[in-house]
Amino acid sequence: DTGVSQDPRHKITKRGQNVTFRCDPISEHNRLYWYRQTLGQGPEFLTYFQNEAQLEKSRLLSDRFSAERPKGSFSTLEIQRTEQGDSAMYLCASSLSESSPLHFGNGTRLTVT
Amino acid sequence: SQKIEQNSEALNIQEGKTATLTCNYTNYSPAYLQWYRQDPGRGPVFLLLIRENEKEKRKERLKVTFDTTLKQSLFHITASQPADSATYLCALDGDRDDKIIFGKGTRLHILP
């Protein structure tokens, strides 16, 4: 299966620690998206990339969040100085181009204690 | 700012009947609209995409309509089955950019 993969599936961390998540998109997909989802809510947009260029970052994101996509392949999302409010499912998706359907991974569930 | 609204209540439908889910949007005109299915603990799965110049699209038991005057999309599942029980998400391209934004989703329960 060459779908979108995310690692780790689950992460438990103490408040104040830094965490990093990885996303491997479908290989020929140029677009890569990060979303955050909490229980009972839809995916909330965080940021997206066209190849290695970060096109937009949500105004809802604090400076503690940063994402990279070196060489336009895999992407990482880092959260510094985690807070309990960061506890959520972090979803990655990729698409072939603008206006193409998104292909999601199964997410990384973050719990901040 | 742009806003997407889906039925916030769960929808219970008897097996074999048609389930109809609603997605309303305000404050902008998307070029296309998508529907996704999400099961617990999994990422959303793409179902259908409909463009602003299309009125209706079908795929097997699924049908989507897109009314740009009403700013509404309807998602229908005919001959519903218990396996159709899931959360269904509506998604649109953003206003003045092409990021994809999602509604909160509607939980659908098909009762045997």
PDB file of all heavy atoms in Angstrom, chain A residues 9 31 33 35 37 41-43 45 48 56 91 98-99 101-102 104-106, chain B residues 32 34 36 38 41-44 46 49 51 89 97-100 102-104:
ATOM      1  N   ARG A   9       1.914   6.753  15.532  1.00  0.00           N
ATOM      2  CA  ARG A   9       0.453   6.730  15.583  1.00  0.00           C
ATOM      3  C   ARG A   9      -0.050   7.382  16.858  1.00  0.00           C
ATOM      4  O   ARG A   9      -1.095   8.024  16.868  1.00  0.00           O
ATOM      5  CB  ARG A   9      -0.080   5.297  15.514  1.00  0.00           C
ATOM      6  CG  ARG A   9      -0.020   4.658  14.135  1.00  0.00           C
ATOM      7  CD  ARG A   9      -0.857   5.410  13.083  1.00  0.00           C
ATOM      8  NE  ARG A   9      -2.202   5.748  13.501  1.00  0.00           N
ATOM      9  CZ  ARG A   9      -3.254   4.948  13.427  1.00  0.00           C
ATOM     10  NH1 ARG A   9      -3.117   3.728  12.970  1.00  0.00           N
ATOM     11  NH2 ARG A   9      -4.446   5.375  13.810  1.00  0.00           N
ATOM     12  N   ARG A  31       1.111  18.406  -3.379  1.00  0.00           N
ATOM     13  CA  ARG A  31       0.525  19.149  -2.271  1.00  0.00           C
ATOM     14  C   ARG A  31       0.563  18.295  -1.002  1.00  0.00           C
ATOM     15  O   ARG A  31       0.301  17.087  -1.043  1.00  0.00           O
ATOM     16  CB  ARG A  31      -0.934  19.491  -2.573  1.00  0.00           C
ATOM     17  CG  ARG A  31      -1.109  20.537  -3.660  1.00  0.00           C
ATOM     18  CD  ARG A  31      -1.077  21.909  -3.038  1.00  0.00           C
ATOM     19  NE  ARG A  31      -1.056  22.974  -4.033  1.00  0.00           N
ATOM     20  CZ  ARG A  31      -1.977  23.897  -4.146  1.00  0.00           C
ATOM     21  NH1 ARG A  31      -3.028  23.872  -3.340  1.00  0.00           N
ATOM     22  NH2 ARG A  31      -1.858  24.840  -5.042  1.00  0.00           N
ATOM     23  N   TYR A  33      -0.762  18.655   3.194  1.00  0.00           N
ATOM     24  CA  TYR A  33      -1.535  19.429   4.163  1.00  0.00           C
ATOM     25  C   TYR A  33      -1.374  18.854   5.563  1.00  0.00           C
ATOM     26  O   TYR A  33      -1.278  17.633   5.725  1.00  0.00           O
ATOM     27  CB  TYR A  33      -3.033  19.367   3.830  1.00  0.00           C
ATOM     28  CG  TYR A  33      -3.442  19.966   2.518  1.00  0.00           C
ATOM     29  CD1 TYR A  33      -3.247  19.291   1.319  1.00  0.00           C
ATOM     30  CD2 TYR A  33      -4.082  21.209   2.472  1.00  0.00           C
ATOM     31  CE1 TYR A  33      -3.646  19.837   0.112  1.00  0.00           C
ATOM     32  CE2 TYR A  33      -4.495  21.754   1.265  1.00  0.00           C
ATOM     33  CZ  TYR A  33      -4.271  21.066   0.095  1.00  0.00           C
ATOM     34  OH  TYR A  33      -4.671  21.613  -1.092  1.00  0.00           O
ATOM     35  N   TYR A  35      -3.545  19.007   9.255  1.00  0.00           N
ATOM     36  CA  TYR A  35      -4.766  19.395   9.938  1.00  0.00           C
ATOM     37  C   TYR A  35      -4.692  18.903  11.377  1.00  0.00           C
ATOM     38  O   TYR A  35      -3.979  17.949  11.702  1.00  0.00           O
ATOM     39  CB  TYR A  35      -6.000  18.750   9.285  1.00  0.00           C
ATOM     40  CG  TYR A  35      -6.348  19.272   7.922  1.00  0.00           C
ATOM     41  CD1 TYR A  35      -5.759  18.725   6.779  1.00  0.00           C
ATOM     42  CD2 TYR A  35      -7.267  20.301   7.762  1.00  0.00           C
ATOM     43  CE1 TYR A  35      -6.088  19.202   5.514  1.00  0.00           C
ATOM     44  CE2 TYR A  35      -7.603  20.783   6.503  1.00  0.00           C
ATOM     45  CZ  TYR A  35      -7.003  20.231   5.390  1.00  0.00           C
ATOM     46  OH  TYR A  35      -7.331  20.705   4.147  1.00  0.00           O
ATOM     47  N   GLN A  37      -7.438  17.718  14.529  1.00  0.00           N
ATOM     48  CA  GLN A  37      -8.828  17.365  14.761  1.00  0.00           C
ATOM     49  C   GLN A  37      -9.038  16.975  16.214  1.00  0.00           C
ATOM     50  O   GLN A  37      -8.303  16.148  16.753  1.00  0.00           O
ATOM     51  CB  GLN A  37      -9.251  16.206  13.847  1.00  0.00           C
ATOM     52  CG  GLN A  37     -10.745  15.914  13.886  1.00  0.00           C
ATOM     53  CD  GLN A  37     -11.154  14.859  12.883  1.00  0.00           C
ATOM     54  OE1 GLN A  37     -10.382  13.984  12.526  1.00  0.00           O
ATOM     55  NE2 GLN A  37     -12.388  14.936  12.400  1.00  0.00           N
ATOM     56  N   GLN A  41     -15.229  17.354  16.163  1.00  0.00           N
ATOM     57  CA  GLN A  41     -14.995  18.473  15.255  1.00  0.00           C
ATOM     58  C   GLN A  41     -14.441  17.962  13.922  1.00  0.00           C
ATOM     59  O   GLN A  41     -13.892  16.861  13.844  1.00  0.00           O
ATOM     60  CB  GLN A  41     -13.990  19.458  15.862  1.00  0.00           C
ATOM     61  CG  GLN A  41     -14.422  20.032  17.197  1.00  0.00           C
ATOM     62  CD  GLN A  41     -15.669  20.887  17.074  1.00  0.00           C
ATOM     63  OE1 GLN A  41     -15.765  21.760  16.210  1.00  0.00           O
ATOM     64  NE2 GLN A  41     -16.654  20.634  17.924  1.00  0.00           N
ATOM     65  N   GLY A  42     -14.558  18.791  12.899  1.00  0.00           N
ATOM     66  CA  GLY A  42     -13.934  18.449  11.635  1.00  0.00           C
ATOM     67  C   GLY A  42     -12.457  18.784  11.654  1.00  0.00           C
ATOM     68  O   GLY A  42     -11.982  19.458  12.575  1.00  0.00           O
ATOM     69  N   PRO A  43     -11.710  18.327  10.668  1.00  0.00           N
ATOM     70  CA  PRO A  43     -10.287  18.686  10.592  1.00  0.00           C
ATOM     71  C   PRO A  43     -10.119  20.204  10.468  1.00  0.00           C
ATOM     72  O   PRO A  43     -10.783  20.838   9.652  1.00  0.00           O
ATOM     73  CB  PRO A  43      -9.816  17.970   9.331  1.00  0.00           C
ATOM     74  CG  PRO A  43     -10.789  16.847   9.128  1.00  0.00           C
ATOM     75  CD  PRO A  43     -12.096  17.382   9.611  1.00  0.00           C
ATOM     76  N   PHE A  45      -7.664  23.275   9.527  1.00  0.00           N
ATOM     77  CA  PHE A  45      -6.488  23.536   8.701  1.00  0.00           C
ATOM     78  C   PHE A  45      -5.358  24.148   9.526  1.00  0.00           C
ATOM     79  O   PHE A  45      -5.564  25.085  10.300  1.00  0.00           O
ATOM     80  CB  PHE A  45      -6.874  24.489   7.569  1.00  0.00           C
ATOM     81  CG  PHE A  45      -5.711  25.008   6.786  1.00  0.00           C
ATOM     82  CD1 PHE A  45      -5.125  24.231   5.802  1.00  0.00           C
ATOM     83  CD2 PHE A  45      -5.191  26.272   7.032  1.00  0.00           C
ATOM     84  CE1 PHE A  45      -4.048  24.703   5.079  1.00  0.00           C
ATOM     85  CE2 PHE A  45      -4.111  26.748   6.315  1.00  0.00           C
ATOM     86  CZ  PHE A  45      -3.542  25.961   5.336  1.00  0.00           C
ATOM     87  N   TYR A  48      -0.151  24.210   4.618  1.00  0.00           N
ATOM     88  CA  TYR A  48       0.026  23.345   3.469  1.00  0.00           C
ATOM     89  C   TYR A  48       1.210  23.761   2.612  1.00  0.00           C
ATOM     90  O   TYR A  48       1.684  24.898   2.702  1.00  0.00           O
ATOM     91  CB  TYR A  48      -1.259  23.209   2.634  1.00  0.00           C
ATOM     92  CG  TYR A  48      -1.679  24.356   1.750  1.00  0.00           C
ATOM     93  CD1 TYR A  48      -1.982  24.138   0.414  1.00  0.00           C
ATOM     94  CD2 TYR A  48      -1.875  25.637   2.256  1.00  0.00           C
ATOM     95  CE1 TYR A  48      -2.445  25.151  -0.405  1.00  0.00           C
ATOM     96  CE2 TYR A  48      -2.325  26.670   1.447  1.00  0.00           C
ATOM     97  CZ  TYR A  48      -2.617  26.418   0.120  1.00  0.00           C
ATOM     98  OH  TYR A  48      -3.075  27.438  -0.691  1.00  0.00           O
ATOM     99  N   GLU A  56       0.807  28.536   3.097  1.00  0.00           N
ATOM    100  CA  GLU A  56       0.009  29.260   4.079  1.00  0.00           C
ATOM    101  C   GLU A  56       0.082  28.560   5.421  1.00  0.00           C
ATOM    102  O   GLU A  56       0.193  27.338   5.495  1.00  0.00           O
ATOM    103  CB  GLU A  56      -1.456  29.350   3.642  1.00  0.00           C
ATOM    104  CG  GLU A  56      -2.313  30.230   4.555  1.00  0.00           C
ATOM    105  CD  GLU A  56      -3.705  30.461   4.022  1.00  0.00           C
ATOM    106  OE1 GLU A  56      -3.920  30.313   2.797  1.00  0.00           O
ATOM    107  OE2 GLU A  56      -4.593  30.784   4.828  1.00  0.00           O
ATOM    108  N   LEU A  91      -3.524  15.237  11.564  1.00  0.00           N
ATOM    109  CA  LEU A  91      -3.717  14.526  10.302  1.00  0.00           C
ATOM    110  C   LEU A  91      -2.885  15.152   9.200  1.00  0.00           C
ATOM    111  O   LEU A  91      -2.792  16.373   9.093  1.00  0.00           O
ATOM    112  CB  LEU A  91      -5.192  14.598   9.887  1.00  0.00           C
ATOM    113  CG  LEU A  91      -6.193  13.829  10.739  1.00  0.00           C
ATOM    114  CD1 LEU A  91      -7.608  14.303  10.465  1.00  0.00           C
ATOM    115  CD2 LEU A  91      -6.077  12.338  10.493  1.00  0.00           C
ATOM    116  N   GLU A  98      -3.616  21.135  -7.052  1.00  0.00           N
ATOM    117  CA  GLU A  98      -4.761  21.962  -6.657  1.00  0.00           C
ATOM    118  C   GLU A  98      -6.032  21.355  -7.253  1.00  0.00           C
ATOM    119  O   GLU A  98      -6.022  20.902  -8.381  1.00  0.00           O
ATOM    120  CB  GLU A  98      -4.537  23.355  -7.233  1.00  0.00           C
ATOM    121  CG  GLU A  98      -5.700  24.274  -7.190  1.00  0.00           C
ATOM    122  CD  GLU A  98      -5.426  25.516  -8.010  1.00  0.00           C
ATOM    123  OE1 GLU A  98      -4.269  25.742  -8.371  1.00  0.00           O
ATOM    124  OE2 GLU A  98      -6.384  26.252  -8.280  1.00  0.00           O
ATOM    125  N   SER A  99      -7.088  21.308  -6.509  1.00  0.00           N
ATOM    126  CA  SER A  99      -8.422  20.804  -6.866  1.00  0.00           C
ATOM    127  C   SER A  99      -8.477  19.286  -7.001  1.00  0.00           C
ATOM    128  O   SER A  99      -9.466  18.737  -7.480  1.00  0.00           O
ATOM    129  CB  SER A  99      -8.990  21.466  -8.129  1.00  0.00           C
ATOM    130  OG  SER A  99      -8.445  20.887  -9.303  1.00  0.00           O
ATOM    131  N   PRO A 101      -8.551  15.503  -5.059  1.00  0.00           N
ATOM    132  CA  PRO A 101      -8.965  15.011  -3.739  1.00  0.00           C
ATOM    133  C   PRO A 101      -7.771  14.819  -2.807  1.00  0.00           C
ATOM    134  O   PRO A 101      -6.646  14.558  -3.246  1.00  0.00           O
ATOM    135  CB  PRO A 101      -9.608  13.656  -4.057  1.00  0.00           C
ATOM    136  CG  PRO A 101     -10.005  13.740  -5.484  1.00  0.00           C
ATOM    137  CD  PRO A 101      -8.987  14.615  -6.142  1.00  0.00           C
ATOM    138  N   LEU A 102      -8.034  14.956  -1.513  1.00  0.00           N
ATOM    139  CA  LEU A 102      -7.005  14.730  -0.504  1.00  0.00           C
ATOM    140  C   LEU A 102      -6.974  13.259  -0.104  1.00  0.00           C
ATOM    141  O   LEU A 102      -8.021  12.626   0.049  1.00  0.00           O
ATOM    142  CB  LEU A 102      -7.296  15.570   0.745  1.00  0.00           C
ATOM    143  CG  LEU A 102      -7.372  17.077   0.563  1.00  0.00           C
ATOM    144  CD1 LEU A 102      -7.564  17.765   1.907  1.00  0.00           C
ATOM    145  CD2 LEU A 102      -6.157  17.608  -0.137  1.00  0.00           C
ATOM    146  N   PHE A 104      -5.677  11.077   2.992  1.00  0.00           N
ATOM    147  CA  PHE A 104      -5.251  11.259   4.374  1.00  0.00           C
ATOM    148  C   PHE A 104      -4.508  10.043   4.904  1.00  0.00           C
ATOM    149  O   PHE A 104      -4.792   8.900   4.519  1.00  0.00           O
ATOM    150  CB  PHE A 104      -6.469  11.474   5.282  1.00  0.00           C
ATOM    151  CG  PHE A 104      -7.014  12.868   5.251  1.00  0.00           C
ATOM    152  CD1 PHE A 104      -7.945  13.247   4.293  1.00  0.00           C
ATOM    153  CD2 PHE A 104      -6.601  13.810   6.186  1.00  0.00           C
ATOM    154  CE1 PHE A 104      -8.452  14.540   4.266  1.00  0.00           C
ATOM    155  CE2 PHE A 104      -7.111  15.101   6.174  1.00  0.00           C
ATOM    156  CZ  PHE A 104      -8.027  15.468   5.201  1.00  0.00           C
ATOM    157  N   GLY A 105      -3.577  10.309   5.825  1.00  0.00           N
ATOM    158  CA  GLY A 105      -3.045   9.261   6.678  1.00  0.00           C
ATOM    159  C   GLY A 105      -4.001   9.028   7.832  1.00  0.00           C
ATOM    160  O   GLY A 105      -5.040   9.701   7.944  1.00  0.00           O
ATOM    161  N   ASN A 106      -3.652   8.082   8.706  1.00  0.00           N
ATOM    162  CA  ASN A 106      -4.524   7.785   9.844  1.00  0.00           C
ATOM    163  C   ASN A 106      -4.175   8.603  11.083  1.00  0.00           C
ATOM    164  O   ASN A 106      -4.736   8.366  12.152  1.00  0.00           O
ATOM    165  CB  ASN A 106      -4.518   6.293  10.149  1.00  0.00           C
ATOM    166  CG  ASN A 106      -5.369   5.533   9.153  1.00  0.00           C
ATOM    167  OD1 ASN A 106      -6.411   6.010   8.718  1.00  0.00           O
ATOM    168  ND2 ASN A 106      -4.914   4.345   8.773  1.00  0.00           N
TER     169      ASN A 106
ATOM    170  N   TYR B  32     -15.187  24.338  -5.996  1.00  0.00           N
ATOM    171  CA  TYR B  32     -15.602  22.939  -5.950  1.00  0.00           C
ATOM    172  C   TYR B  32     -15.858  22.553  -4.493  1.00  0.00           C
ATOM    173  O   TYR B  32     -15.453  23.269  -3.566  1.00  0.00           O
ATOM    174  CB  TYR B  32     -14.555  22.017  -6.587  1.00  0.00           C
ATOM    175  CG  TYR B  32     -13.173  22.127  -6.003  1.00  0.00           C
ATOM    176  CD1 TYR B  32     -12.775  21.302  -4.945  1.00  0.00           C
ATOM    177  CD2 TYR B  32     -12.264  23.049  -6.501  1.00  0.00           C
ATOM    178  CE1 TYR B  32     -11.517  21.411  -4.406  1.00  0.00           C
ATOM    179  CE2 TYR B  32     -11.008  23.162  -5.953  1.00  0.00           C
ATOM    180  CZ  TYR B  32     -10.635  22.345  -4.922  1.00  0.00           C
ATOM    181  OH  TYR B  32      -9.373  22.463  -4.383  1.00  0.00           O
ATOM    182  N   GLN B  34     -16.214  18.960  -1.831  1.00  0.00           N
ATOM    183  CA  GLN B  34     -15.902  17.540  -1.698  1.00  0.00           C
ATOM    184  C   GLN B  34     -16.638  16.953  -0.499  1.00  0.00           C
ATOM    185  O   GLN B  34     -16.920  17.654   0.468  1.00  0.00           O
ATOM    186  CB  GLN B  34     -14.388  17.350  -1.485  1.00  0.00           C
ATOM    187  CG  GLN B  34     -13.527  17.967  -2.567  1.00  0.00           C
ATOM    188  CD  GLN B  34     -12.062  17.764  -2.311  1.00  0.00           C
ATOM    189  OE1 GLN B  34     -11.605  16.647  -2.123  1.00  0.00           O
ATOM    190  NE2 GLN B  34     -11.295  18.853  -2.315  1.00  0.00           N
ATOM    191  N   TYR B  36     -16.289  13.613   2.233  1.00  0.00           N
ATOM    192  CA  TYR B  36     -15.398  12.577   2.772  1.00  0.00           C
ATOM    193  C   TYR B  36     -16.144  11.769   3.821  1.00  0.00           C
ATOM    194  O   TYR B  36     -17.065  12.276   4.481  1.00  0.00           O
ATOM    195  CB  TYR B  36     -14.165  13.208   3.439  1.00  0.00           C
ATOM    196  CG  TYR B  36     -13.186  13.844   2.478  1.00  0.00           C
ATOM    197  CD1 TYR B  36     -13.441  15.097   1.930  1.00  0.00           C
ATOM    198  CD2 TYR B  36     -12.015  13.192   2.123  1.00  0.00           C
ATOM    199  CE1 TYR B  36     -12.544  15.678   1.042  1.00  0.00           C
ATOM    200  CE2 TYR B  36     -11.110  13.769   1.239  1.00  0.00           C
ATOM    201  CZ  TYR B  36     -11.382  15.011   0.704  1.00  0.00           C
ATOM    202  OH  TYR B  36     -10.498  15.582  -0.175  1.00  0.00           O
ATOM    203  N   GLN B  38     -15.438   9.504   7.378  1.00  0.00           N
ATOM    204  CA  GLN B  38     -14.442   9.248   8.407  1.00  0.00           C
ATOM    205  C   GLN B  38     -14.985   8.253   9.422  1.00  0.00           C
ATOM    206  O   GLN B  38     -16.064   8.444   9.980  1.00  0.00           O
ATOM    207  CB  GLN B  38     -14.018  10.543   9.111  1.00  0.00           C
ATOM    208  CG  GLN B  38     -12.846  10.339  10.062  1.00  0.00           C
ATOM    209  CD  GLN B  38     -12.314  11.635  10.650  1.00  0.00           C
ATOM    210  OE1 GLN B  38     -13.041  12.629  10.752  1.00  0.00           O
ATOM    211  NE2 GLN B  38     -11.034  11.655  11.019  1.00  0.00           N
ATOM    212  N   GLY B  41     -11.075   6.887  14.685  1.00  0.00           N
ATOM    213  CA  GLY B  41      -9.655   6.569  14.768  1.00  0.00           C
ATOM    214  C   GLY B  41      -8.941   6.508  13.425  1.00  0.00           C
ATOM    215  O   GLY B  41      -7.764   6.124  13.369  1.00  0.00           O
ATOM    216  N   ARG B  42      -9.630   6.893  12.360  1.00  0.00           N
ATOM    217  CA  ARG B  42      -9.040   6.836  11.015  1.00  0.00           C
ATOM    218  C   ARG B  42      -9.068   8.211  10.370  1.00  0.00           C
ATOM    219  O   ARG B  42      -9.830   9.083  10.766  1.00  0.00           O
ATOM    220  CB  ARG B  42      -9.826   5.867  10.130  1.00  0.00           C
ATOM    221  CG  ARG B  42     -10.129   4.539  10.761  1.00  0.00           C
ATOM    222  CD  ARG B  42      -8.989   3.592  10.709  1.00  0.00           C
ATOM    223  NE  ARG B  42      -8.746   3.142   9.334  1.00  0.00           N
ATOM    224  CZ  ARG B  42      -7.851   2.216   9.041  1.00  0.00           C
ATOM    225  NH1 ARG B  42      -7.110   1.657   9.961  1.00  0.00           N
ATOM    226  NH2 ARG B  42      -7.674   1.856   7.777  1.00  0.00           N
ATOM    227  N   GLY B  43      -8.226   8.391   9.344  1.00  0.00           N
ATOM    228  CA  GLY B  43      -8.290   9.627   8.587  1.00  0.00           C
ATOM    229  C   GLY B  43      -9.488   9.625   7.643  1.00  0.00           C
ATOM    230  O   GLY B  43     -10.015   8.563   7.301  1.00  0.00           O
ATOM    231  N   PRO B  44      -9.940  10.804   7.209  1.00  0.00           N
ATOM    232  CA  PRO B  44     -11.050  10.869   6.255  1.00  0.00           C
ATOM    233  C   PRO B  44     -10.685  10.201   4.929  1.00  0.00           C
ATOM    234  O   PRO B  44      -9.523  10.194   4.524  1.00  0.00           O
ATOM    235  CB  PRO B  44     -11.250  12.378   6.055  1.00  0.00           C
ATOM    236  CG  PRO B  44     -10.680  13.004   7.283  1.00  0.00           C
ATOM    237  CD  PRO B  44      -9.514  12.142   7.664  1.00  0.00           C
ATOM    238  N   PHE B  46     -11.808  10.145   0.842  1.00  0.00           N
ATOM    239  CA  PHE B  46     -12.494  10.890  -0.204  1.00  0.00           C
ATOM    240  C   PHE B  46     -13.602  10.057  -0.838  1.00  0.00           C
ATOM    241  O   PHE B  46     -13.421   8.860  -1.125  1.00  0.00           O
ATOM    242  CB  PHE B  46     -11.496  11.306  -1.285  1.00  0.00           C
ATOM    243  CG  PHE B  46     -12.145  11.865  -2.520  1.00  0.00           C
ATOM    244  CD1 PHE B  46     -12.675  13.146  -2.512  1.00  0.00           C
ATOM    245  CD2 PHE B  46     -12.243  11.115  -3.670  1.00  0.00           C
ATOM    246  CE1 PHE B  46     -13.284  13.664  -3.640  1.00  0.00           C
ATOM    247  CE2 PHE B  46     -12.841  11.624  -4.811  1.00  0.00           C
ATOM    248  CZ  PHE B  46     -13.363  12.900  -4.801  1.00  0.00           C
ATOM    249  N   LEU B  49     -16.229  14.579  -5.543  1.00  0.00           N
ATOM    250  CA  LEU B  49     -15.923  15.992  -5.758  1.00  0.00           C
ATOM    251  C   LEU B  49     -16.876  16.532  -6.816  1.00  0.00           C
ATOM    252  O   LEU B  49     -17.103  15.866  -7.844  1.00  0.00           O
ATOM    253  CB  LEU B  49     -14.475  16.151  -6.218  1.00  0.00           C
ATOM    254  CG  LEU B  49     -13.930  17.567  -6.463  1.00  0.00           C
ATOM    255  CD1 LEU B  49     -12.424  17.609  -6.212  1.00  0.00           C
ATOM    256  CD2 LEU B  49     -14.229  18.080  -7.868  1.00  0.00           C
ATOM    257  N   ARG B  51     -17.873  20.206  -8.987  1.00  0.00           N
ATOM    258  CA  ARG B  51     -17.403  21.551  -9.315  1.00  0.00           C
ATOM    259  C   ARG B  51     -18.576  22.514  -9.426  1.00  0.00           C
ATOM    260  O   ARG B  51     -19.717  22.094  -9.587  1.00  0.00           O
ATOM    261  CB  ARG B  51     -16.593  21.523 -10.615  1.00  0.00           C
ATOM    262  CG  ARG B  51     -15.391  20.609 -10.507  1.00  0.00           C
ATOM    263  CD  ARG B  51     -14.459  20.640 -11.693  1.00  0.00           C
ATOM    264  NE  ARG B  51     -13.434  19.603 -11.556  1.00  0.00           N
ATOM    265  CZ  ARG B  51     -12.331  19.741 -10.833  1.00  0.00           C
ATOM    266  NH1 ARG B  51     -12.093  20.877 -10.197  1.00  0.00           N
ATOM    267  NH2 ARG B  51     -11.455  18.754 -10.747  1.00  0.00           N
ATOM    268  N   LEU B  89     -18.010  14.291   6.112  1.00  0.00           N
ATOM    269  CA  LEU B  89     -17.452  15.639   6.148  1.00  0.00           C
ATOM    270  C   LEU B  89     -17.600  16.311   4.797  1.00  0.00           C
ATOM    271  O   LEU B  89     -17.322  15.705   3.759  1.00  0.00           O
ATOM    272  CB  LEU B  89     -15.962  15.574   6.498  1.00  0.00           C
ATOM    273  CG  LEU B  89     -15.591  14.991   7.857  1.00  0.00           C
ATOM    274  CD1 LEU B  89     -14.143  14.522   7.853  1.00  0.00           C
ATOM    275  CD2 LEU B  89     -15.786  16.027   8.953  1.00  0.00           C
ATOM    276  N   ASP B  97      -7.886  31.580  -1.930  1.00  0.00           N
ATOM    277  CA  ASP B  97      -6.742  30.670  -1.916  1.00  0.00           C
ATOM    278  C   ASP B  97      -7.299  29.284  -2.164  1.00  0.00           C
ATOM    279  O   ASP B  97      -8.489  29.117  -2.316  1.00  0.00           O
ATOM    280  CB  ASP B  97      -5.962  30.742  -0.589  1.00  0.00           C
ATOM    281  CG  ASP B  97      -6.816  30.420   0.615  1.00  0.00           C
ATOM    282  OD1 ASP B  97      -7.583  29.434   0.569  1.00  0.00           O
ATOM    283  OD2 ASP B  97      -6.740  31.149   1.608  1.00  0.00           O
ATOM    284  N   ASP B  98      -6.438  28.291  -2.233  1.00  0.00           N
ATOM    285  CA  ASP B  98      -6.971  26.968  -2.565  1.00  0.00           C
ATOM    286  C   ASP B  98      -6.722  25.950  -1.476  1.00  0.00           C
ATOM    287  O   ASP B  98      -6.701  24.758  -1.731  1.00  0.00           O
ATOM    288  CB  ASP B  98      -6.431  26.493  -3.911  1.00  0.00           C
ATOM    289  CG  ASP B  98      -4.912  26.527  -3.947  1.00  0.00           C
ATOM    290  OD1 ASP B  98      -4.285  26.799  -2.904  1.00  0.00           O
ATOM    291  OD2 ASP B  98      -4.356  26.297  -5.030  1.00  0.00           O
ATOM    292  N   LYS B  99      -6.539  26.410  -0.231  1.00  0.00           N
ATOM    293  CA  LYS B  99      -6.478  25.432   0.848  1.00  0.00           C
ATOM    294  C   LYS B  99      -7.859  24.837   1.014  1.00  0.00           C
ATOM    295  O   LYS B  99      -8.867  25.454   0.675  1.00  0.00           O
ATOM    296  CB  LYS B  99      -5.990  26.073   2.138  1.00  0.00           C
ATOM    297  CG  LYS B  99      -6.939  27.079   2.768  1.00  0.00           C
ATOM    298  CD  LYS B  99      -6.361  27.579   4.068  1.00  0.00           C
ATOM    299  CE  LYS B  99      -7.338  28.490   4.790  1.00  0.00           C
ATOM    300  NZ  LYS B  99      -7.347  29.853   4.232  1.00  0.00           N
ATOM    301  N   ILE B 100      -7.941  23.630   1.557  1.00  0.00           N
ATOM    302  CA  ILE B 100      -9.208  22.935   1.734  1.00  0.00           C
ATOM    303  C   ILE B 100      -9.643  23.065   3.184  1.00  0.00           C
ATOM    304  O   ILE B 100      -8.873  22.739   4.095  1.00  0.00           O
ATOM    305  CB  ILE B 100      -9.071  21.437   1.371  1.00  0.00           C
ATOM    306  CG1 ILE B 100      -8.439  21.262  -0.014  1.00  0.00           C
ATOM    307  CG2 ILE B 100     -10.426  20.753   1.453  1.00  0.00           C
ATOM    308  CD1 ILE B 100      -9.218  21.890  -1.128  1.00  0.00           C
ATOM    309  N   PHE B 102     -12.779  22.220   6.107  1.00  0.00           N
ATOM    310  CA  PHE B 102     -13.782  21.211   6.394  1.00  0.00           C
ATOM    311  C   PHE B 102     -14.875  21.737   7.316  1.00  0.00           C
ATOM    312  O   PHE B 102     -14.624  22.574   8.180  1.00  0.00           O
ATOM    313  CB  PHE B 102     -13.126  19.999   7.067  1.00  0.00           C
ATOM    314  CG  PHE B 102     -12.350  19.126   6.128  1.00  0.00           C
ATOM    315  CD1 PHE B 102     -11.062  19.468   5.753  1.00  0.00           C
ATOM    316  CD2 PHE B 102     -12.901  17.967   5.619  1.00  0.00           C
ATOM    317  CE1 PHE B 102     -10.338  18.672   4.869  1.00  0.00           C
ATOM    318  CE2 PHE B 102     -12.197  17.156   4.744  1.00  0.00           C
ATOM    319  CZ  PHE B 102     -10.909  17.507   4.369  1.00  0.00           C
ATOM    320  N   GLY B 103     -16.076  21.164   7.141  1.00  0.00           N
ATOM    321  CA  GLY B 103     -17.129  21.359   8.124  1.00  0.00           C
ATOM    322  C   GLY B 103     -16.899  20.441   9.314  1.00  0.00           C
ATOM    323  O   GLY B 103     -15.951  19.650   9.338  1.00  0.00           O
ATOM    324  N   LYS B 104     -17.799  20.531  10.306  1.00  0.00           N
ATOM    325  CA  LYS B 104     -17.642  19.719  11.514  1.00  0.00           C
ATOM    326  C   LYS B 104     -18.028  18.267  11.288  1.00  0.00           C
ATOM    327  O   LYS B 104     -17.670  17.401  12.077  1.00  0.00           O
ATOM    328  CB  LYS B 104     -18.511  20.295  12.635  1.00  0.00           C
ATOM    329  CG  LYS B 104     -18.016  21.609  13.175  1.00  0.00           C
ATOM    330  CD  LYS B 104     -18.842  22.056  14.369  1.00  0.00           C
ATOM    331  CE  LYS B 104     -18.271  23.337  14.965  1.00  0.00           C
ATOM    332  NZ  LYS B 104     -19.031  23.762  16.157  1.00  0.00           N
TER     333      LYS B 104
END
